[in-house]
Structures are given as C-alpha cells and as structure tokens.
Amino acid sequence: ETGVTQSPTHLIKTRGQQVTLRCSSQSGHNTVSWYQQALGQGPQFIFQYYREEENGRGNFPPRFSGLQFPNYSSELNVNALELDDSALYLCASRTGGGLTDTQYFGPGTRLTVL
Amino acid sequence: AQSVSQHNHHVILSEAASLELGCNYSYGGTVNLFWYVQYPGQHLQLLLKYFSGDPLVKGIKGFEAEFIKSKFSFNLRKPSVQWSDTAEYFCAVRGNQAGTALIFGKGTTLSVSS
C-alpha cells in the first residue's frame, strides 16, 4: 500500500464532456503529480503541484487543469474530452522536501471516452 | 529533449533464467534514476532507485541495477527470475532539482513461464 488513493476507479464519458478525477495523498506529501498512461505506453507527465501551486507542466493542452488542497487531496479536470483522452490517469505524491524523496503512485482511474 | 528509451518491448523467459532489461536516457544535468514495476492489476511500485554514490543499487525482490554514467544507462538485472516476476517494468529519470517530474520509458513486458 502506498497511501495514495484515487477515485473513481473507472469512468466512462462521451466526447465533449468534462471530467474530474480525485486523488488523496499521504499526510505530509506536499507534492502531487498527475500522469496519463495510454494503453501499452509508459506514464506521461501532465502537471505537478507543490503546496497548492502548479510548479511543473508536461506537454498537455490547457483543457487539462488541476487543483491541490491543504488536506493533501487533489483534482485533475479535463474539459472538452476527446477520444484520445482514454487512458489510465495516475496520481503520485511525495514529500517534495528533498532531492531523495520517493514518489508513490495510486492505483489510477481508468477513463474511457466514447 | 529529455527521454528514456527501453530497448526491449516484450521479454519472454523461463523460470530461473537471468534477466537484463536495458534502459538509456537523455537528460541534461544530474539525474535520479528509477525502476518501477506494475504487476497485473496492481499499481506502480518502486523496485529501486539511484540518487548518488555506489552505481550498483539493489532493490526489492532480488533486483539490482547499474548506473553507467558514460553510457547514460541504467540497466535492470536479476540473476534468476520467478513466475511471479511477470509484470510490466518501467525505467524513469528525474532531474536533480526540486520540482522536476519523472520521465518514463515505454515499458518492457516480462513474461516468465514456469
């Protein structure tokens, strides 16, 4: 167990809709990152939050946005869903306080866009 | 551009065979290196990590990896695989600054037959 939970486990949406995915991290983990893992691929970095501020972003369009809350929970929002957004979305957290901290991953949310 | 390349897409071995999975990275500056494993139906778990010091690092379940800086490589090894090692293996790199995110390779599927 990593202490990182995600909800929901599975989700089906239609093209054009909006979706919110949630993550709950361990207490004290100030950094949370979100990744998209398409089938047969490695996880791709979407963005990262540190103490409620975005401090890193991968090559994803602005319709991917997020929030981090003081209670170590976070959200990933995706607007105007496209078919290619179908993937496993992973949340990962770490303390963020040092250079040797390890990232712990949640089980993921499987999003299917029809 | 920052990237991670995993040489083998799918490796098939018999139990007790030796394993070596290749990983090369392209990243400017000092890096931290990781191997993650994803067992069927489970979330990403950290196998081992390298931050500094001895370039030969040992992880869980008998896995080890060697960092060769001159070759930009971080290959994963195990002397004798077991059926339970069947999983997806991901190599990842992260810059040595606070706030940087993991960059993953595409993964290697390992199938071990008993």
Side-chain angles (χ1 to χ4, degrees):
Chain A
E1 288 298 322
T2 63
V4 181
T5 59
Q6 292 185 245
S7 61
T9 306
H10 297 88
L11 200 54
I12 299 175
K13 291 286 189 178
T14 56
R15 195 170 47 183
Q17 285 188 312
Q18 178 267 341
V19 69
T20 297
L21 310 182
R22 294 180 171 84
C23 172
S24 179
S25 308
Q26 293 185 43
S27 176
H29 281 202
N30 296 312
T31 299
V32 65
S33 306
W34 285 89
Y35 293 82
Q36 180 196 66
Q37 187 178 10
L39 205 59
Q41 301 293 317
Q44 281 199 296
F45 173 63
I46 303 175
F47 49 61
Q48 179 170 277
Y49 279 78
Y50 176 67
R51 292 185 173 175
E52 302 162 49
E53 297 282 337
E54 184 180 300
N55 73 341
R57 191 174 185 92
N59 190 26
F60 281 81
R63 60 189 185 84
F64 285 79
S65 63
L67 286 171
Q68 185 186 24
F69 304 101
N71 65 351
Y72 305 108
S73 66
S74 62
E75 290 181 354
L76 163 64
N77 299 290
V78 187
N79 294 323
L81 283 167
E82 300 177 0
L83 298 180
D84 285 348
D85 296 333
S86 295
L88 181 69
Y89 288 86
L90 299 169
C91 166
S93 73
R94 57 191 173 106
T95 58
L99 301 177
T100 59
D101 52 313
T102 298
Q103 213 157 14
Y104 296 94
F105 284 83
T109 293
R110 174 74 61 188
L111 173 64
T112 301
V113 182
L114 302 175
Chain B
Q2 301 160 354
S3 65
V4 175
S5 175
Q6 293 186 237
H7 310 152
N8 314 99
H9 181 63
H10 194 178
V11 173
I12 302 172
L13 295 173
S14 300
E15 272 194 324
S18 63
L19 169 72
E20 180 159 5
L21 301 182
C23 172
N24 285 90
Y25 66 92
S26 173
Y27 199 102
T30 305
V31 295
N32 299 327
L33 295 156
F34 306 81
W35 275 96
Y36 280 85
V37 61
Q38 193 168 30
Y39 297 103
Q42 297 187 28
H43 54 258
L44 278 168
Q45 301 174 38
L46 181 68
L47 262 183
L48 47 77
K49 59 188 177 184
Y50 172 80
F51 290 129
S52 64
D54 188 344
L56 184 63
V57 292
K58 296 189 184 299
I60 60 171
K61 305 187 180 186
F63 286 91
E64 65 178 30
E66 184 176 13
F67 171 51
I68 303 179
K69 189 174 180 179
S70 61
K71 296 184 177 181
F72 300 93
S73 70
F74 190 56
N75 293 350
L76 180 71
R77 298 194 291 250
K78 186 172 184 179
S80 176
V81 295
Q82 301 174 311
W83 177 81
S84 58
D85 293 325
T86 295
E88 188 90 18
Y89 292 81
F90 295 96
C91 180
V93 64
R94 189 178 78 198
N96 196 28
Q97 305 90 26
T100 55
L102 286 167
I103 299 170
F104 284 87
K106 292 188 176 182
T108 297
T109 301
L110 173 64
S111 300
V112 180
S113 59
S114 56

